[in-house]
Amino acid sequence: MVHGVIVEMPINWFVPVLTCLVLASPAIAEETILFCSEQHIVGLRFSADEWGPSYGNQDHGQRYAIRFNGDKSQMSGFQGGDTVYQCRSYFLTKAPDVITCTNPLVATMVFNYSTESQRFLFSFVGPGGWLGGETQREENRDPLDDYLIMGTCQEF
């Protein structure tokens, strides 16, 4: 009723709009945001002409929020970055709770997350790290470190 006059809404546009709102809202609601904290960092570091182990713990670890889309096929926010990782479950029979996400820009950057234990394991193996040591292609460069980051996440 507008100023004492009854206004009839045309039903031919109301039903499709309502249907779109109902169908779109679950996709938005299913997005998962996790607060993650690095617990351990283990790697290989090149120093003084030799490779050696490198260790870190939660005192040196970062904290950040990551975001999975509704079907957990994409993840973003790792270490505060904007890169959208592509994700899927690869271990459907042995570990159906594990989601594996790969960086589309650097294929050797892999983020694994267990929805059951809420733990993550990130690995980076660079072609210029251990694999590049003593190769002609890496002769005049400082090698990259190869490392694993282990941590936990909790849902907001």
Side-chain angles (χ1 to χ4, degrees):
M1 186 178 293
V2 176
H3 299 289
V5 178
I6 296 176
V7 177
E8 291 186 28
M9 297 179 86
I11 192 95
N12 54 342
W13 71 267
F14 179 74
V15 171
V17 168
L18 182 62
T19 303
C20 288
L21 289 173
V22 169
L23 292 176
S25 62
I28 294 169
E30 290 178 16
E31 184 175 79
T32 304
I33 300 174
L34 302 171
F35 179 71
C36 299
S37 177
E38 296 175 356
Q39 305 292 312
H40 304 282
I41 302 168
V42 179
L44 284 173
R45 177 167 290 181
F46 189 76
S47 178
D49 295 332
E50 66 180 25
W51 287 92
S54 172
Y55 303 99
N57 58 27
Q58 61 265 24
D59 295 337
H60 299 96
Q62 296 183 36
R63 293 181 173 95
Y64 36 82
I66 63 169
R67 177 182 309 249
F68 283 101
N69 67 341
D71 64 357
K72 292 189 175 51
S73 64
Q74 295 183 330
M75 182 272 295
S76 61
F78 179 70
Q79 293 187 324
D82 295 329
T83 302
V84 177
Y85 286 62
Q86 302 305 310
C87 308
R88 64 181 275 206
S89 295
Y90 287 95
F91 312 105
L92 297 176
T93 55
K94 292 197 179 219
D97 61 303
V98 174
I99 300 166
T100 300
C101 305
T102 55
N103 184 319
L105 306 174
V106 183
T108 57
M109 295 178 84
V110 180
F111 181 90
N112 287 286
Y113 175 69
S114 168
T115 57
E116 188 175 325
S117 70
Q118 296 187 317
R119 293 180 175 180
F120 74 87
L121 176 68
F122 175 80
S123 61
F124 176 73
V125 178
W130 177 258
L131 297 176
E134 299 179 17
T135 63
Q136 188 175 11
R137 65 182 157 82
E138 293 296 317
E139 193 171 292
N140 295 321
R141 291 193 203 175
D142 288 329
L144 297 171
D145 297 336
D146 296 323
Y147 57 91
L148 295 172
I149 300 173
M150 293 151 270
T152 57
C153 300
Q154 53 185 288
E155 206 164 326
F156 273 121

PDB file of all heavy atoms in Angstrom, residues 39-64:
ATOM      1  N   GLN A  39      53.498 -23.173  12.528  1.00  0.00           N
ATOM      2  CA  GLN A  39      54.054 -23.778  13.739  1.00  0.00           C
ATOM      3  C   GLN A  39      55.524 -24.157  13.579  1.00  0.00           C
ATOM      4  O   GLN A  39      56.304 -23.970  14.490  1.00  0.00           O
ATOM      5  CB  GLN A  39      53.259 -25.037  14.108  1.00  0.00           C
ATOM      6  CG  GLN A  39      51.770 -24.803  14.249  1.00  0.00           C
ATOM      7  CD  GLN A  39      51.422 -23.940  15.434  1.00  0.00           C
ATOM      8  OE1 GLN A  39      51.899 -24.182  16.530  1.00  0.00           O
ATOM      9  NE2 GLN A  39      50.601 -22.937  15.218  1.00  0.00           N
ATOM     10  N   HIS A  40      55.867 -24.727  12.426  1.00  0.00           N
ATOM     11  CA  HIS A  40      57.234 -25.194  12.177  1.00  0.00           C
ATOM     12  C   HIS A  40      57.610 -24.894  10.731  1.00  0.00           C
ATOM     13  O   HIS A  40      56.780 -25.009   9.831  1.00  0.00           O
ATOM     14  CB  HIS A  40      57.351 -26.705  12.399  1.00  0.00           C
ATOM     15  CG  HIS A  40      56.905 -27.148  13.749  1.00  0.00           C
ATOM     16  ND1 HIS A  40      57.683 -26.998  14.872  1.00  0.00           N
ATOM     17  CD2 HIS A  40      55.752 -27.727  14.175  1.00  0.00           C
ATOM     18  CE1 HIS A  40      57.037 -27.467  15.915  1.00  0.00           C
ATOM     19  NE2 HIS A  40      55.858 -27.905  15.521  1.00  0.00           N
ATOM     20  N   ILE A  41      58.864 -24.542  10.543  1.00  0.00           N
ATOM     21  CA  ILE A  41      59.411 -24.327   9.200  1.00  0.00           C
ATOM     22  C   ILE A  41      60.712 -25.126   9.132  1.00  0.00           C
ATOM     23  O   ILE A  41      61.586 -24.973   9.990  1.00  0.00           O
ATOM     24  CB  ILE A  41      59.687 -22.841   8.931  1.00  0.00           C
ATOM     25  CG1 ILE A  41      58.401 -22.027   9.102  1.00  0.00           C
ATOM     26  CG2 ILE A  41      60.269 -22.652   7.528  1.00  0.00           C
ATOM     27  CD1 ILE A  41      58.622 -20.532   9.145  1.00  0.00           C
ATOM     28  N   VAL A  42      60.803 -26.006   8.142  1.00  0.00           N
ATOM     29  CA  VAL A  42      61.978 -26.850   7.959  1.00  0.00           C
ATOM     30  C   VAL A  42      62.420 -26.698   6.520  1.00  0.00           C
ATOM     31  O   VAL A  42      61.603 -26.760   5.602  1.00  0.00           O
ATOM     32  CB  VAL A  42      61.654 -28.333   8.247  1.00  0.00           C
ATOM     33  CG1 VAL A  42      62.869 -29.209   8.040  1.00  0.00           C
ATOM     34  CG2 VAL A  42      61.083 -28.493   9.639  1.00  0.00           C
ATOM     35  N   GLY A  43      63.710 -26.478   6.310  1.00  0.00           N
ATOM     36  CA  GLY A  43      64.158 -26.300   4.945  1.00  0.00           C
ATOM     37  C   GLY A  43      65.627 -26.569   4.759  1.00  0.00           C
ATOM     38  O   GLY A  43      66.340 -26.988   5.674  1.00  0.00           O
ATOM     39  N   LEU A  44      66.068 -26.333   3.533  1.00  0.00           N
ATOM     40  CA  LEU A  44      67.482 -26.397   3.163  1.00  0.00           C
ATOM     41  C   LEU A  44      67.910 -24.999   2.766  1.00  0.00           C
ATOM     42  O   LEU A  44      67.234 -24.331   1.984  1.00  0.00           O
ATOM     43  CB  LEU A  44      67.689 -27.339   1.979  1.00  0.00           C
ATOM     44  CG  LEU A  44      67.623 -28.819   2.267  1.00  0.00           C
ATOM     45  CD1 LEU A  44      67.677 -29.601   0.957  1.00  0.00           C
ATOM     46  CD2 LEU A  44      68.768 -29.235   3.165  1.00  0.00           C
ATOM     47  N   ARG A  45      69.035 -24.575   3.291  1.00  0.00           N
ATOM     48  CA  ARG A  45      69.538 -23.232   3.009  1.00  0.00           C
ATOM     49  C   ARG A  45      70.993 -23.336   2.575  1.00  0.00           C
ATOM     50  O   ARG A  45      71.771 -24.085   3.137  1.00  0.00           O
ATOM     51  CB  ARG A  45      69.419 -22.373   4.248  1.00  0.00           C
ATOM     52  CG  ARG A  45      69.994 -20.980   4.064  1.00  0.00           C
ATOM     53  CD  ARG A  45      69.579 -20.101   5.167  1.00  0.00           C
ATOM     54  NE  ARG A  45      68.138 -19.882   4.961  1.00  0.00           N
ATOM     55  CZ  ARG A  45      67.392 -19.134   5.732  1.00  0.00           C
ATOM     56  NH1 ARG A  45      67.902 -18.539   6.764  1.00  0.00           N
ATOM     57  NH2 ARG A  45      66.127 -18.978   5.493  1.00  0.00           N
ATOM     58  N   PHE A  46      71.338 -22.543   1.572  1.00  0.00           N
ATOM     59  CA  PHE A  46      72.709 -22.506   1.084  1.00  0.00           C
ATOM     60  C   PHE A  46      73.444 -21.385   1.802  1.00  0.00           C
ATOM     61  O   PHE A  46      73.022 -20.238   1.788  1.00  0.00           O
ATOM     62  CB  PHE A  46      72.730 -22.267  -0.425  1.00  0.00           C
ATOM     63  CG  PHE A  46      74.081 -22.435  -1.038  1.00  0.00           C
ATOM     64  CD1 PHE A  46      74.615 -23.688  -1.242  1.00  0.00           C
ATOM     65  CD2 PHE A  46      74.832 -21.327  -1.392  1.00  0.00           C
ATOM     66  CE1 PHE A  46      75.867 -23.849  -1.810  1.00  0.00           C
ATOM     67  CE2 PHE A  46      76.082 -21.468  -1.958  1.00  0.00           C
ATOM     68  CZ  PHE A  46      76.609 -22.743  -2.172  1.00  0.00           C
ATOM     69  N   SER A  47      74.558 -21.734   2.459  1.00  0.00           N
ATOM     70  CA  SER A  47      75.331 -20.748   3.196  1.00  0.00           C
ATOM     71  C   SER A  47      76.787 -21.185   3.230  1.00  0.00           C
ATOM     72  O   SER A  47      77.089 -22.352   3.483  1.00  0.00           O
ATOM     73  CB  SER A  47      74.779 -20.638   4.624  1.00  0.00           C
ATOM     74  OG  SER A  47      75.537 -19.718   5.368  1.00  0.00           O
ATOM     75  N   ALA A  48      77.678 -20.263   2.976  1.00  0.00           N
ATOM     76  CA  ALA A  48      79.122 -20.527   3.024  1.00  0.00           C
ATOM     77  C   ALA A  48      79.506 -21.722   2.156  1.00  0.00           C
ATOM     78  O   ALA A  48      80.197 -22.632   2.589  1.00  0.00           O
ATOM     79  CB  ALA A  48      79.582 -20.724   4.462  1.00  0.00           C
ATOM     80  N   ASP A  49      79.015 -21.725   0.952  1.00  0.00           N
ATOM     81  CA  ASP A  49      79.356 -22.758  -0.033  1.00  0.00           C
ATOM     82  C   ASP A  49      78.882 -24.165   0.314  1.00  0.00           C
ATOM     83  O   ASP A  49      79.422 -25.148  -0.183  1.00  0.00           O
ATOM     84  CB  ASP A  49      80.872 -22.787  -0.303  1.00  0.00           C
ATOM     85  CG  ASP A  49      81.353 -21.502  -0.947  1.00  0.00           C
ATOM     86  OD1 ASP A  49      80.546 -20.858  -1.651  1.00  0.00           O
ATOM     87  OD2 ASP A  49      82.512 -21.152  -0.742  1.00  0.00           O
ATOM     88  N   GLU A  50      77.886 -24.277   1.187  1.00  0.00           N
ATOM     89  CA  GLU A  50      77.344 -25.610   1.466  1.00  0.00           C
ATOM     90  C   GLU A  50      75.877 -25.507   1.857  1.00  0.00           C
ATOM     91  O   GLU A  50      75.398 -24.461   2.292  1.00  0.00           O
ATOM     92  CB  GLU A  50      78.137 -26.314   2.564  1.00  0.00           C
ATOM     93  CG  GLU A  50      78.037 -25.658   3.930  1.00  0.00           C
ATOM     94  CD  GLU A  50      78.853 -26.405   4.973  1.00  0.00           C
ATOM     95  OE1 GLU A  50      79.830 -27.095   4.612  1.00  0.00           O
ATOM     96  OE2 GLU A  50      78.519 -26.291   6.148  1.00  0.00           O
ATOM     97  N   TRP A  51      75.193 -26.619   1.671  1.00  0.00           N
ATOM     98  CA  TRP A  51      73.788 -26.710   2.027  1.00  0.00           C
ATOM     99  C   TRP A  51      73.667 -27.218   3.453  1.00  0.00           C
ATOM    100  O   TRP A  51      74.406 -28.110   3.876  1.00  0.00           O
ATOM    101  CB  TRP A  51      73.056 -27.678   1.092  1.00  0.00           C
ATOM    102  CG  TRP A  51      72.864 -27.115  -0.272  1.00  0.00           C
ATOM    103  CD1 TRP A  51      73.689 -27.259  -1.343  1.00  0.00           C
ATOM    104  CD2 TRP A  51      71.790 -26.300  -0.694  1.00  0.00           C
ATOM    105  NE1 TRP A  51      73.200 -26.586  -2.421  1.00  0.00           N
ATOM    106  CE2 TRP A  51      72.022 -25.986  -2.055  1.00  0.00           C
ATOM    107  CE3 TRP A  51      70.653 -25.779  -0.078  1.00  0.00           C
ATOM    108  CZ2 TRP A  51      71.159 -25.196  -2.795  1.00  0.00           C
ATOM    109  CZ3 TRP A  51      69.795 -25.004  -0.826  1.00  0.00           C
ATOM    110  CH2 TRP A  51      70.048 -24.717  -2.162  1.00  0.00           C
ATOM    111  N   GLY A  52      72.714 -26.669   4.187  1.00  0.00           N
ATOM    112  CA  GLY A  52      72.479 -27.123   5.549  1.00  0.00           C
ATOM    113  C   GLY A  52      71.022 -26.980   5.917  1.00  0.00           C
ATOM    114  O   GLY A  52      70.266 -26.257   5.271  1.00  0.00           O
ATOM    115  N   PRO A  53      70.611 -27.670   6.977  1.00  0.00           N
ATOM    116  CA  PRO A  53      69.214 -27.578   7.408  1.00  0.00           C
ATOM    117  C   PRO A  53      68.899 -26.211   7.997  1.00  0.00           C
ATOM    118  O   PRO A  53      69.768 -25.533   8.532  1.00  0.00           O
ATOM    119  CB  PRO A  53      69.098 -28.676   8.467  1.00  0.00           C
ATOM    120  CG  PRO A  53      70.486 -28.892   8.955  1.00  0.00           C
ATOM    121  CD  PRO A  53      71.398 -28.557   7.822  1.00  0.00           C
ATOM    122  N   SER A  54      67.658 -25.846   7.877  1.00  0.00           N
ATOM    123  CA  SER A  54      67.169 -24.577   8.412  1.00  0.00           C
ATOM    124  C   SER A  54      65.882 -24.882   9.177  1.00  0.00           C
ATOM    125  O   SER A  54      65.027 -25.608   8.676  1.00  0.00           O
ATOM    126  CB  SER A  54      66.899 -23.619   7.260  1.00  0.00           C
ATOM    127  OG  SER A  54      66.259 -22.466   7.711  1.00  0.00           O
ATOM    128  N   TYR A  55      65.757 -24.336  10.388  1.00  0.00           N
ATOM    129  CA  TYR A  55      64.591 -24.611  11.213  1.00  0.00           C
ATOM    130  C   TYR A  55      63.978 -23.308  11.728  1.00  0.00           C
ATOM    131  O   TYR A  55      64.677 -22.343  11.966  1.00  0.00           O
ATOM    132  CB  TYR A  55      64.963 -25.472  12.432  1.00  0.00           C
ATOM    133  CG  TYR A  55      65.625 -26.771  12.071  1.00  0.00           C
ATOM    134  CD1 TYR A  55      67.001 -26.917  12.131  1.00  0.00           C
ATOM    135  CD2 TYR A  55      64.865 -27.859  11.642  1.00  0.00           C
ATOM    136  CE1 TYR A  55      67.614 -28.107  11.783  1.00  0.00           C
ATOM    137  CE2 TYR A  55      65.472 -29.056  11.290  1.00  0.00           C
ATOM    138  CZ  TYR A  55      66.841 -29.175  11.369  1.00  0.00           C
ATOM    139  OH  TYR A  55      67.443 -30.354  11.018  1.00  0.00           O
ATOM    140  N   GLY A  56      62.701 -23.331  11.903  1.00  0.00           N
ATOM    141  CA  GLY A  56      62.002 -22.213  12.523  1.00  0.00           C
ATOM    142  C   GLY A  56      60.802 -22.757  13.274  1.00  0.00           C
ATOM    143  O   GLY A  56      60.357 -23.869  13.027  1.00  0.00           O
ATOM    144  N   ASN A  57      60.266 -21.965  14.198  1.00  0.00           N
ATOM    145  CA  ASN A  57      59.072 -22.398  14.928  1.00  0.00           C
ATOM    146  C   ASN A  57      58.050 -21.277  14.940  1.00  0.00           C
ATOM    147  O   ASN A  57      58.203 -20.283  14.238  1.00  0.00           O
ATOM    148  CB  ASN A  57      59.436 -22.854  16.344  1.00  0.00           C
ATOM    149  CG  ASN A  57      60.120 -21.755  17.135  1.00  0.00           C
ATOM    150  OD1 ASN A  57      59.911 -20.570  16.890  1.00  0.00           O
ATOM    151  ND2 ASN A  57      60.933 -22.149  18.094  1.00  0.00           N
ATOM    152  N   GLN A  58      57.014 -21.432  15.770  1.00  0.00           N
ATOM    153  CA  GLN A  58      55.926 -20.458  15.765  1.00  0.00           C
ATOM    154  C   GLN A  58      56.371 -19.054  16.144  1.00  0.00           C
ATOM    155  O   GLN A  58      55.697 -18.083  15.831  1.00  0.00           O
ATOM    156  CB  GLN A  58      54.753 -20.908  16.649  1.00  0.00           C
ATOM    157  CG  GLN A  58      55.070 -21.093  18.095  1.00  0.00           C
ATOM    158  CD  GLN A  58      55.406 -22.538  18.427  1.00  0.00           C
ATOM    159  OE1 GLN A  58      55.816 -23.308  17.566  1.00  0.00           O
ATOM    160  NE2 GLN A  58      55.248 -22.901  19.683  1.00  0.00           N
ATOM    161  N   ASP A  59      57.532 -18.927  16.791  1.00  0.00           N
ATOM    162  CA  ASP A  59      58.030 -17.590  17.116  1.00  0.00           C
ATOM    163  C   ASP A  59      58.376 -16.807  15.853  1.00  0.00           C
ATOM    164  O   ASP A  59      58.325 -15.585  15.827  1.00  0.00           O
ATOM    165  CB  ASP A  59      59.277 -17.678  18.009  1.00  0.00           C
ATOM    166  CG  ASP A  59      58.972 -18.291  19.368  1.00  0.00           C
ATOM    167  OD1 ASP A  59      57.800 -18.233  19.788  1.00  0.00           O
ATOM    168  OD2 ASP A  59      59.897 -18.854  19.979  1.00  0.00           O
ATOM    169  N   HIS A  60      58.735 -17.522  14.808  1.00  0.00           N
ATOM    170  CA  HIS A  60      59.086 -16.891  13.539  1.00  0.00           C
ATOM    171  C   HIS A  60      57.973 -17.019  12.501  1.00  0.00           C
ATOM    172  O   HIS A  60      58.053 -16.461  11.430  1.00  0.00           O
ATOM    173  CB  HIS A  60      60.371 -17.503  12.975  1.00  0.00           C
ATOM    174  CG  HIS A  60      61.549 -17.325  13.874  1.00  0.00           C
ATOM    175  ND1 HIS A  60      61.947 -18.303  14.749  1.00  0.00           N
ATOM    176  CD2 HIS A  60      62.372 -16.276  14.069  1.00  0.00           C
ATOM    177  CE1 HIS A  60      63.000 -17.871  15.435  1.00  0.00           C
ATOM    178  NE2 HIS A  60      63.270 -16.648  15.046  1.00  0.00           N
ATOM    179  N   GLY A  61      56.973 -17.803  12.815  1.00  0.00           N
ATOM    180  CA  GLY A  61      55.904 -18.084  11.863  1.00  0.00           C
ATOM    181  C   GLY A  61      54.943 -16.932  11.684  1.00  0.00           C
ATOM    182  O   GLY A  61      54.738 -16.121  12.584  1.00  0.00           O
ATOM    183  N   GLN A  62      54.351 -16.899  10.512  1.00  0.00           N
ATOM    184  CA  GLN A  62      53.368 -15.861  10.198  1.00  0.00           C
ATOM    185  C   GLN A  62      51.967 -16.324  10.593  1.00  0.00           C
ATOM    186  O   GLN A  62      51.714 -17.514  10.759  1.00  0.00           O
ATOM    187  CB  GLN A  62      53.383 -15.577   8.703  1.00  0.00           C
ATOM    188  CG  GLN A  62      54.668 -15.003   8.189  1.00  0.00           C
ATOM    189  CD  GLN A  62      54.563 -14.697   6.710  1.00  0.00           C
ATOM    190  OE1 GLN A  62      53.527 -14.276   6.207  1.00  0.00           O
ATOM    191  NE2 GLN A  62      55.644 -14.926   5.990  1.00  0.00           N
ATOM    192  N   ARG A  63      51.074 -15.373  10.670  1.00  0.00           N
ATOM    193  CA  ARG A  63      49.651 -15.638  10.872  1.00  0.00           C
ATOM    194  C   ARG A  63      48.902 -14.905   9.771  1.00  0.00           C
ATOM    195  O   ARG A  63      49.252 -13.778   9.443  1.00  0.00           O
ATOM    196  CB  ARG A  63      49.205 -15.151  12.244  1.00  0.00           C
ATOM    197  CG  ARG A  63      49.829 -15.933  13.369  1.00  0.00           C
ATOM    198  CD  ARG A  63      49.317 -15.420  14.715  1.00  0.00           C
ATOM    199  NE  ARG A  63      49.780 -16.281  15.775  1.00  0.00           N
ATOM    200  CZ  ARG A  63      50.874 -16.062  16.486  1.00  0.00           C
ATOM    201  NH1 ARG A  63      51.600 -14.989  16.264  1.00  0.00           N
ATOM    202  NH2 ARG A  63      51.229 -16.894  17.426  1.00  0.00           N
ATOM    203  N   TYR A  64      47.876 -15.549   9.241  1.00  0.00           N
ATOM    204  CA  TYR A  64      47.123 -14.951   8.148  1.00  0.00           C
ATOM    205  C   TYR A  64      45.776 -15.641   7.998  1.00  0.00           C
ATOM    206  O   TYR A  64      45.558 -16.727   8.540  1.00  0.00           O
ATOM    207  CB  TYR A  64      47.897 -15.023   6.822  1.00  0.00           C
ATOM    208  CG  TYR A  64      48.696 -16.293   6.669  1.00  0.00           C
ATOM    209  CD1 TYR A  64      48.106 -17.454   6.228  1.00  0.00           C
ATOM    210  CD2 TYR A  64      50.045 -16.323   6.994  1.00  0.00           C
ATOM    211  CE1 TYR A  64      48.838 -18.617   6.120  1.00  0.00           C
ATOM    212  CE2 TYR A  64      50.782 -17.485   6.892  1.00  0.00           C
ATOM    213  CZ  TYR A  64      50.160 -18.635   6.443  1.00  0.00           C
ATOM    214  OH  TYR A  64      50.885 -19.794   6.341  1.00  0.00           O
TER     215      TYR A  64
END
